[in-house]
Amino acid sequence: MRSLMIRPGGPGDVGAVLTVFDDAVRWLVARGQPGQWGSTPFSEVPETVALAEEYAASAGFFVAEHAGRTVGVLVVGQSSEPVPAPSEPELFVKLLVTDHSDAARGVGSLLLEHARVLAVTGGVGLLRLDCYAGNGGGLVHYYERQGFTATQTFTVDKPDGPWHGQLLERRLPGRR
């Protein structure tokens, strides 16, 4: 992808991250799929603004830019509830979100490759993530096409109903 750059992010990127989240929420809602993240823009919810600030302050925060505009965000680190703890060292994709412009086409794959490289460089043989399993499993199938294998399902009780999740993993060659 021409003029795409993946760089470490920081607190100054919170506004751009919220813009990408808001774009994703609008895109999902326009398709009648609010189950993943709801229908309220993240920038209007204090809890999700705080989460974006937390991510932006972490060492595992990366921003994909195209022509100076944020088109994707990756956050890696360790898994946490409700995801079951791993039985071996891992790198966990805590967040992967892209906007839906033509400039962002393929950015998700590139950010996942960046996570894979980070894992291998760190000597880790397991890359895991979780995602929304609703809407016919479309997101699960996307990650399977990216080389991940679905392992466990889980459900999170939310005020507006259950949120169905899927844990996926990717074993990295030469590691165990």
XYZ file of all heavy atoms in Angstrom, residues 137 139-150 168:
117
model
N -21.076 -14.433 12.118
C -19.662 -14.781 12.238
C -18.755 -14.162 11.194
O -17.633 -14.629 10.985
N -16.907 -11.489 11.175
C -15.604 -11.052 11.688
C -14.731 -12.259 12.025
O -13.518 -12.252 11.771
C -15.804 -10.147 12.900
C -14.613 -9.334 13.361
C -13.977 -8.532 12.230
C -15.034 -8.399 14.497
N -15.335 -13.301 12.546
C -14.589 -14.537 12.831
C -13.988 -15.066 11.531
O -12.804 -15.425 11.473
C -15.498 -15.594 13.481
C -14.761 -16.925 13.644
C -16.027 -15.105 14.820
N -14.786 -15.090 10.468
C -14.308 -15.591 9.175
C -13.178 -14.718 8.629
O -12.234 -15.241 8.023
C -15.452 -15.695 8.168
C -16.522 -16.641 8.599
N -16.283 -17.952 8.970
C -17.855 -16.466 8.745
C -17.409 -18.534 9.311
N -18.386 -17.652 9.193
N -13.261 -13.411 8.843
C -12.172 -12.516 8.419
C -10.859 -12.942 9.083
O -9.834 -13.084 8.411
C -12.500 -11.059 8.774
C -11.305 -10.154 8.629
C -10.906 -9.709 7.369
C -10.548 -9.776 9.730
C -9.782 -8.900 7.228
C -9.431 -8.969 9.596
C -9.053 -8.540 8.341
O -7.928 -7.762 8.208
N -10.899 -13.140 10.395
C -9.672 -13.515 11.109
C -9.195 -14.912 10.704
O -7.977 -15.148 10.644
C -9.862 -13.403 12.617
C -9.900 -11.963 13.077
C -11.032 -11.438 13.688
C -8.800 -11.126 12.890
C -11.064 -10.118 14.102
C -8.829 -9.800 13.290
C -9.966 -9.299 13.901
O -9.988 -7.991 14.302
N -10.092 -15.801 10.393
C -9.669 -17.117 9.907
C -8.939 -16.971 8.572
O -7.928 -17.645 8.338
C -10.874 -18.049 9.781
C -11.411 -18.487 11.136
C -12.690 -19.287 11.063
O -13.500 -19.085 10.111
O -12.897 -20.109 11.977
N -9.413 -16.079 7.706
C -8.711 -15.831 6.438
C -7.340 -15.207 6.664
O -6.473 -15.287 5.804
C -9.559 -14.939 5.527
C -10.793 -15.649 4.963
C -11.484 -14.834 3.885
N -11.839 -13.491 4.267
C -12.959 -13.125 4.876
N -13.870 -14.035 5.184
N -13.194 -11.861 5.168
N -7.148 -14.602 7.832
C -5.863 -13.991 8.168
C -4.910 -14.987 8.849
O -3.847 -14.610 9.320
C -6.067 -12.783 9.081
C -6.931 -11.684 8.493
C -6.356 -11.130 7.204
O -5.180 -10.834 7.104
N -7.199 -11.005 6.192
N -5.305 -16.247 8.930
C -4.430 -17.278 9.480
C -4.716 -17.672 10.917
O -3.966 -18.454 11.505
N -5.798 -17.166 11.491
C -6.161 -17.507 12.866
C -7.115 -18.695 12.869
O -7.842 -18.926 11.899
C -6.820 -16.309 13.565
C -5.854 -15.211 13.912
C -5.459 -14.293 12.954
C -5.326 -15.114 15.186
C -4.560 -13.283 13.265
C -4.430 -14.112 15.511
C -4.039 -13.191 14.549
N -7.128 -19.416 13.986
C -8.020 -20.542 14.182
C -8.943 -20.239 15.351
O -8.467 -19.842 16.428
C -7.207 -21.823 14.495
O -6.325 -22.082 13.398
C -8.116 -23.016 14.712
N -10.241 -20.418 15.143
C -11.209 -20.205 16.217
C -11.013 -21.285 17.278
O -10.854 -22.460 16.945
C -12.620 -20.242 15.658
N -9.651 -16.458 19.114
C -8.923 -17.065 18.000
C -7.441 -17.030 18.319
O -6.975 -16.178 19.083
C -9.178 -16.308 16.692
C -10.614 -16.310 16.189
C -11.299 -15.014 16.534
C -10.669 -16.562 14.711
